[in-house]
Amino acid sequence: MTDAETTVGELSEGQILRGILDRLPASTAPVGPGDDAAVLAVPDGRVVATTDTLVHGPDFRLAWSSPFDLGFKAAAVNLADVAAMGARPIALLVALAMPDATPVSFVRGFADGLAAACAELAPGCAVEGGDLTVSDTLTIAVTALGSLDGRDPVRRSGARVGDGVYVIGELGEAARGLAVLFERFTDAGGAPIALTPEAREALDPADARAVSRQLTPRPPLDEAVRAAASGATAMMDLSDGLVLDATRLADASDVTIALDAATLGEDPARALDGGEDHGFLVTFAADADPIGRRVGTVVTRQDEAVTVDGRAWTGRGGWDPYRDWDAGRG
Amino acid sequence: MTDAETTVGELSEGQILRGILDRLPASTAPVGPGDDAAVLAVPDGRVVATTDTLVHGPDFRLAWSSPFDLGFKAAAVNLADVAAMGARPIALLVALAMPDATPVSFVRGFADGLAAACAELAPGCAVEGGDLTVSDTLTIAVTALGSLDGRDPVRRSGARVGDGVYVIGELGEAARGLAVLFERFTDAGGAPIALTPEAREALDPADARAVSRQLTPRPPLDEAVRAAASGATAMMDLSDGLVLDATRLADASDVTIALDAATLGEDPARALDGGEDHGFLVTFAADADPIGRRVGTVVTRQDEAVTVDGRAWTGRGGWDPYRDWDAGRG
C-alpha cells in the first residue's frame, strides 16, 4: 500500500496530527500545540477572535478544490475577518472533521495550504491548536486570533455622513470564477466534474485567474491593517457581495451608502452581487489619507441602506447559505 | 405552522442568529458578537485558546441528547480545556453546521444549553462570536478563550519525580452512562432508541446520574483554577480515560505515573479506561497544599508511562475517535 492510499481511519489521531504539525511553521507562542490549549501573546491586553466554517457541499466541492486549495481558503477567509477589525493575525485553531476513508494525502495537502496562506498573507501567524474528528461530511472550522497592537478596533458602526466609501481588493472575480465552475465543470444533472490540472491549464488566462480567486482567495490583509492605521472610520470583510455587506455596514452605522456604478468596473452587477471576494469595504473621513479605490459616499440615512447611482439596487443581493443551499448544490 | 415546526432552511442566517443571541447572556467584551470578529480583554497580555468539535454520530446521538444537552456539553468540554491550563474562561465562539430541516426549536434549546453551562460552570464567560452554516451532518465546533490573570499556565510537561498525582472530579461515571445508553437504548440492530424524559425518569437514580454525567458533564472548573493557584506542577483535562491521559502527561513530563488501584473506587477498570470524565489530572510537589484526591505518585521514567499497582495496565486504554468510530456507531 502506498502512503497516498492510507486513510485517516487506519491511523490514530496522534499519528494524523503529527503529519499535520510537521508541515506547519514552528509555533512561536508561549504555549503552542500539544497541550489542552495554546497560550498566545497579545501585548496590548486585547485579542481579536473570529470563526468561520467550510462544509463540503454548500461551501466547496472536492471535485474543484484540491486539499491545498481548501487549506488555503479556510485560512484566508478567517485571516480576512481578523484584518477587517484592523488587527494582525497571530494564530489559527483548526478543527477538521473527515470521513474515515479520507486519504492521509488529503491531510498533508490541506496542511500545506494552511501553511502557504499564513506565509503569504500573514507572516508570523501559525496554527497553534486544532481538533480532528470523524464525520460523514468533510467540515473545516477555523478560528483566527489577532492582535490590535495598540490600535482601536475598526467596527462596522463607525461610518459618518460625508465619509468616502472605499474598496480594497477585487470585486466580482470570485463570483465569476464560481460561474465558470458551474457552467463548465458540471454535468447535465448538475453534478461537479473534476477540475483537473490539465483542465485548469486549458482555461483562458482571465477565466483561470477568476477560478483561482474563487478557490484560493488572497485578501490584501496588509492594506486592511494599513487602513486601520490610517484612520478608517469603519471596515468589514467583503464576503457576501458588496450590496449585502454595504447594507450591513450602513445599518450598523445608521447611514446610507451611495455607490457609484461607474466605479465598479466592466460588470457592475457582478461587482455588486458577487460573493466571496474577501476584500475590504472601508470608510474614511473626507480629510483622511484613504487606502483603496473610491466607490461611493456615506450619506444621511434614507429608506434604502444602499443606493446605486441614487436608486435602490434590485439585483440578487448577495449570498445567504440558508436561502441559497439548494441552488448552491448545483 | 407552529414556531416549533419552522426549520432553519426557511429562515435567513440573520434571523437564526438573532434567535440564538437573544437567549445568551449579554456580552461584556470590548466588541461582542455582530462584527467581523470579537475583541476580548485579556489584561495580562496572554490569551488561552482551544477548540473541540462534536459531530453527530461519533460524539453524540440526537436520540439521546436533547438540544439543551448538546449546547451544555459543547460548552463544558471546551471550558474544561481552558481551565486545565489554569485559566479563567472568558469567551466561546460557536460554529454550528446544521441540516436545513433542523427545527428552529433545536437552535433555541442549544442556545439555552450554552447559556446554562456558562452560567453554572464559568460565570462571566459569554458567547462572543459564531458561525452558522448548512451541512448534511450536524456539527458543533466550539472555541474557548481564557485569561490566566497573571498566573503561569499549567502544562502537561511539568510533573516531577516525587510529585503526588491527584484527580479532581469523578472517574468512570460518564463512561458508565454511555454503557447504560448503549445497553438499554439501542435496538437489536444497534440503532439508538429515544431517551424520552419518561425513560430517563424510570432509570434508577445511580444510572440516571451516570447518564447525566455523560450527556451534560459538569467539569469542576473552579477547582482546576484553584489547583493552578495552589502551585500544581502539571495539569490536564481528563477526556480520553485516566490511563491514556496519564500516559500523555507522563510522556510530556518524561516520567512514569504510578497509579494505586485501591484509590479508584468500586470499579477501577472503568475509572482507568472510561472517557469523557472532564475532570482534571493534576500533580503537586510533596510539600504543596494539593486539591483533589490522591491516586498515585510520579516516579522515574520506566518502560511503561503508566503503571497500576506496579504493573502495566492491559485494559482498553481510552477512546480514540478514529479507532473507535465503528464501535461508536453502536
Side-chain angles (χ1 to χ4, degrees):
Chain A
M1 180 182 291
T2 69
D3 192 41
E5 291 163 339
T6 306
T7 67
V8 298
E10 298 170 272
L11 299 179
S12 73
E13 188 173 2
Q15 289 173 304
I16 300 164
L17 266 178
R18 277 191 291 280
I20 295 179
L21 292 174
D22 287 349
R23 307 180 86 85
L24 295 172
S27 167
T28 57
V31 178
D35 216 305
D36 291 284
V39 181
L40 306 162
V42 279
D44 74 5
R46 295 168 303 167
V47 63
V48 172
T50 182
T51 189
D52 198 26
T53 310
L54 299 182
V55 178
H56 188 224
D59 297 314
F60 63 86
R61 304 286 188 287
L62 286 172
W64 297 339
S65 292
S66 71
F68 178 96
D69 293 343
L70 285 175
F72 196 101
K73 184 167 182 171
V77 301
N78 280 283
L79 295 170
D81 280 328
V82 167
M85 304 303 289
R88 172 178 57 88
I90 57 168
L92 300 177
L93 307 176
V94 181
L96 187 55
M98 299 176 279
D100 59 5
T102 304
V104 170
S105 60
F106 172 90
V107 180
R108 283 200 299 266
F110 177 79
D112 288 343
L114 291 172
C118 289
E120 180 179 331
L121 304 174
C125 181
V127 178
E128 301 289 3
D131 182 45
L132 294 176
T133 185
V134 185
S135 174
D136 289 336
T137 304
L138 178 61
T139 306
I140 303 158
V142 175
T143 296
L145 303 176
S147 171
L148 287 160
D149 300 334
R151 285 183 298 276
D152 285 336
V154 184
R155 304 190 57 170
R156 300 179 178 186
S157 53
R160 295 294 171 260
V161 172
D163 287 357
V165 179
Y166 295 79
V167 165
I168 298 171
E170 298 176 356
L171 289 176
E173 278 291 283
R176 206 169 72 74
L178 191 62
V180 168
L181 293 170
F182 272 118
E183 285 160 17
R184 300 194 218 160
F185 294 93
T186 51
D187 65 20
I193 297 169
L195 178 68
T196 62
E198 296 72 32
R200 256 178 114 150
E201 286 272 326
L203 291 170
D204 78 53
D207 288 348
R209 192 168 182 292
V211 166
S212 167
R213 283 293 177 265
Q214 166 57 225
L215 299 180
T216 52
R218 290 176 153 77
L221 304 198
D222 281 354
E223 290 178 65
V225 175
R226 280 202 293 127
S230 297
T233 52
M235 181 158 59
M236 69 183 291
D237 171 49
L238 281 164
S239 56
D240 294 333
L242 177 58
V243 169
L244 185 54
D245 288 331
T247 299
R248 292 172 176 149
L249 194 149
D251 286 344
S253 298
D254 194 24
V255 296
T256 284
I257 289 182
L259 298 172
D260 175 0
T263 65
L264 298 176
E266 289 173 22
D267 189 344
R270 180 92 74 195
L272 289 160
D273 288 333
E276 303 191 89
D277 292 311
H278 298 296
F280 301 92
L281 179 63
V282 199
T283 57
F284 285 99
D287 60 355
D289 187 14
I291 288 173
R293 61 188 187 285
R294 186 159 182 163
V295 296
T297 301
V298 177
V299 301
T300 304
R301 179 70 186 201
Q302 304 169 15
D303 288 346
E304 301 291 338
V306 172
T307 60
V308 179
D309 295 344
R311 291 185 298 275
W313 175 246
T314 53
R316 187 171 156 283
W319 172 265
D320 185 306
Y322 288 97
R323 189 191 63 199
D324 295 338
W325 165 233
D326 287 331
R329 288 216 180 206
Chain B
M1 180 183 291
T2 68
D3 192 42
E5 291 164 337
T6 305
T7 67
V8 298
E10 297 169 273
L11 299 179
S12 73
E13 186 172 3
Q15 290 173 304
I16 300 164
L17 267 176
R18 278 190 292 279
I20 295 178
L21 292 173
D22 287 350
R23 306 179 88 83
L24 295 172
S27 167
T28 58
V31 178
D35 217 305
D36 291 285
V39 181
L40 306 161
V42 279
D44 74 5
R46 296 168 302 166
V47 62
V48 172
T50 183
T51 189
D52 199 24
T53 310
L54 300 181
V55 178
H56 188 224
D59 297 313
F60 63 88
R61 304 284 188 289
L62 286 171
W64 297 338
S65 292
S66 71
F68 179 95
D69 293 343
L70 286 175
F72 196 101
K73 183 166 183 172
V77 301
N78 280 284
L79 295 170
D81 280 327
V82 167
M85 304 302 290
R88 172 178 58 88
I90 57 168
L92 300 178
L93 307 176
V94 182
L96 187 56
M98 298 176 279
D100 59 5
T102 304
V104 171
S105 60
F106 171 90
V107 179
R108 284 200 300 266
F110 177 78
D112 288 343
L114 291 173
C118 289
E120 178 179 331
L121 304 174
C125 181
V127 178
E128 301 289 4
D131 182 46
L132 294 175
T133 186
V134 185
S135 174
D136 289 336
T137 305
L138 178 61
T139 306
I140 304 158
V142 175
T143 296
L145 303 176
S147 172
L148 287 160
D149 299 336
R151 287 184 298 277
D152 285 336
V154 184
R155 304 190 57 172
R156 299 179 179 185
S157 52
R160 295 293 170 260
V161 172
D163 287 358
V165 178
Y166 294 79
V167 165
I168 297 171
E170 298 176 356
L171 290 175
E173 277 291 282
R176 205 170 73 74
L178 191 62
V180 168
L181 293 169
F182 272 117
E183 285 160 16
R184 299 196 220 158
F185 293 93
T186 52
D187 65 20
I193 296 170
L195 178 69
T196 61
E198 296 73 32
R200 255 177 114 152
E201 286 274 324
L203 290 170
D204 77 53
D207 288 346
R209 191 168 183 292
V211 166
S212 167
R213 284 292 177 266
Q214 165 57 226
L215 300 180
T216 52
R218 289 174 153 78
L221 304 198
D222 282 354
E223 290 178 66
V225 175
R226 280 202 292 126
S230 298
T233 52
M235 180 156 60
M236 68 183 291
D237 171 49
L238 281 163
S239 56
D240 293 333
L242 177 59
V243 168
L244 184 56
D245 288 331
T247 298
R248 291 171 176 149
L249 194 149
D251 286 343
S253 298
D254 194 25
V255 297
T256 284
I257 290 182
L259 298 172
D260 175 0
T263 64
L264 298 176
E266 289 173 20
D267 190 343
R270 180 92 76 193
L272 289 161
D273 288 332
E276 302 191 272
D277 291 312
H278 298 297
F280 301 92
L281 179 64
V282 199
T283 57
F284 284 99
D287 60 356
D289 187 14
I291 288 173
R293 60 188 188 284
R294 185 157 184 164
V295 297
T297 301
V298 177
V299 300
T300 303
R301 180 68 186 203
Q302 305 169 13
D303 287 345
E304 300 292 337
V306 173
T307 61
V308 179
D309 295 344
R311 290 184 298 277
W313 176 246
T314 54
R316 185 170 157 285
W319 173 264
D320 183 305
Y322 287 97
R323 190 190 61 197
D324 295 338
W325 165 235
D326 288 331
R329 286 213 183 207

